[in-house]
Amino acid sequence: MQTIIDDIAAQMALVPNKGTVASYIPQLASVNPDQFAISIALTNGEVYHAGCAHTLFSIQSVSKVFTLTLALGKLGERVWQRVGREPSGDPFNSIVQLEHEHGKPRNPFINAGAIAIADAIMQGHQPKEALAEIIQFVRFLANDDSIAIDEKVARSELETGDRNASLAHFMASFGHFKNPVDAVLGTYFHHCSIAMNTQQLATAGLFLANNGINPHTGYAVVSPNRAKRINSLMLMCGHYDGSGEFAFRVGLPGKSGVGGGILVIAPGKASIAVWSPGLDAIGNSKLGTHALEILAQKTGWSIFGE
Ligand code: GLN
């Protein structure tokens, strides 16, 4: 495993076009695109790293996996009254579908869906309390109390968040929200601003690779059935309108973020986190996807066969 990922990291260093870093906020625009990290946490407890696996980055939409898990724990099946579970085929921040579908987002991983999930998690709590719960949950999953929110990123998200605010207000106009729109947006922007490294992220995802149980801590986070369902949503919806292409190339459930991180689950085998800040046109990490494609080929881990 170490040889495989060392080779992948060396190969990635030679790729001339590393994609384009997100430019909508200065904290992401200023990240050096020449960085690559991969961490693999196996279900047997072993962990492997290559590249800058201890460099913190903004997990952005990868956080939506954790907030969905938390919402399912709180609301159970009622979550599906708030969001659907179909791929959208549209960009992550698209607004068109929402009107046709009466303000109910297609899935929990597009922005509208994750904002609706933030509202569901809050359940009348102050944003601060909801956020504390989210960050505690992520720390619990990663078994690492040092994980925190990057407040500068959160502030920039808020300042540039007109599109997300539009999505939220549009949904609220259907009477779907239980909390004030600004409070919900505050929760959403902050959970997108959690900073993690690939080592922490791979560990945090491990419960999804191991029937709901984190093998490092022994804690049952979700039932095996729920882990399976979260994985299926990641496969179908985790890369927005690039989800089909990702399934075609990598063949594993994954969730990307505009910070350049991707969390990928090889069920029964491993949780994998990659990070490289340069993005493709859809907003998914260019080298991250490339690296995962090679990894899936070399390990035979694709859920669709070798
Ligand atoms: N914070 C980003 C946004 O809401 C997250 C998007 C993403 O990572 N794809 O626009």
Side-chain angles (χ1 to χ4, degrees):
M1 185 56 65
Q2 191 62 52
T3 313
I4 291 176
I5 60 175
D6 283 342
D7 281 355
I8 290 174
Q11 242 176 291
M12 292 306 111
L14 300 176
V15 176
N17 178 359
K18 296 190 159 61
T20 315
V21 298
S23 56
Y24 70 101
I25 58 173
Q27 289 80 9
L28 293 182
S30 62
V31 176
N32 173 7
D34 245 353
Q35 301 182 85
F36 174 81
I38 182 165
S39 294
I40 301 190
L42 299 181
T43 50
N44 71 6
E46 291 169 19
V47 188
Y48 298 88
H49 310 287
C52 48
H54 297 285
T55 303
L56 296 176
F57 60 91
S58 191
I59 68 166
Q60 293 291 333
S61 289
V62 182
S63 62
K64 296 171 184 174
V65 175
F66 306 132
T67 52
L68 171 66
T69 306
L70 199 54
L72 282 165
K74 283 171 163 269
L75 281 80
E77 294 302 300
R78 278 178 297 145
V79 162
W80 310 119
Q81 294 167 5
R82 303 296 308 269
V83 295
R85 34 185 202 244
E86 292 292 342
S88 70
D90 277 323
F92 65 89
N93 56 5
S94 171
I95 202 162
V96 285
Q97 237 162 28
L98 268 185
E99 183 166 17
H100 290 301
E101 295 173 1
H102 312 290
K104 181 178 175 181
R106 270 281 169 105
N107 67 65
F109 293 151
I110 50 174
N111 283 15
I115 293 167
I117 293 290
D119 180 54
I121 287 176
M122 289 176 70
Q123 288 191 346
H125 291 295
Q126 292 301 314
K128 268 206 171 117
E129 294 164 349
L131 268 176
E133 193 174 3
I134 294 168
I135 196 83
Q136 268 316 115
F137 184 58
V138 174
R139 287 174 178 167
F140 160 72
L141 293 176
N143 198 23
D144 187 336
D145 283 341
S146 73
I147 295 168
I149 289 167
D150 184 328
E151 286 296 335
K152 280 198 190 124
V153 172
R155 222 167 303 129
S156 292
E157 291 284 340
L158 186 66
E159 281 162 11
T160 58
D162 289 334
R163 175 73 71 103
N164 287 317
S166 306
L167 292 167
H169 282 285
F170 193 68
M171 285 187 282
S173 76
F174 290 90
H176 292 171
F177 273 32
K178 302 204 167 31
N179 302 279
V181 170
D182 285 346
V184 175
L185 284 167
T187 303
Y188 171 76
F189 289 134
H190 277 81
H191 76 62
C192 284
S193 306
I194 295 173
M196 289 171 85
N197 59 37
T198 55
Q199 181 256 315
Q200 293 164 332
L201 197 54
T203 309
L206 205 44
F207 73 100
L208 291 171
N210 194 47
N211 291 317
I213 299 169
N214 181 336
H216 289 186
T217 58
Y219 285 121
V221 182
V222 295
S223 67
N225 183 53
R226 186 160 286 169
K228 177 186 74 180
R229 287 176 153 189
I230 295 168
N231 287 337
S232 82
L233 285 161
M234 289 171 74
L235 182 80
M236 303 301 289
C237 318
H239 283 72
Y240 318 110
D241 43 339
S243 298
E245 180 73 8
F246 188 83
F248 184 82
R249 287 176 60 189
V250 180
L252 291 167
K255 181 74 208 81
S256 67
V258 284
I262 308 178
L263 173 64
V264 165
I265 306 302
K269 301 188 173 77
S271 166
I272 304 141
V274 291
W275 173 60
S276 183
L279 308 177
D280 62 18
I282 288 172
N284 300 318
S285 173
K286 186 168 180 285
L287 288 192
T289 308
H290 190 168
L292 289 164
E293 187 174 15
I294 300 171
L295 180 75
Q297 269 161 12
K298 293 213 168 157
T299 54
W301 280 352
S302 162
I303 59 171
F304 301 109
E306 302 199 3

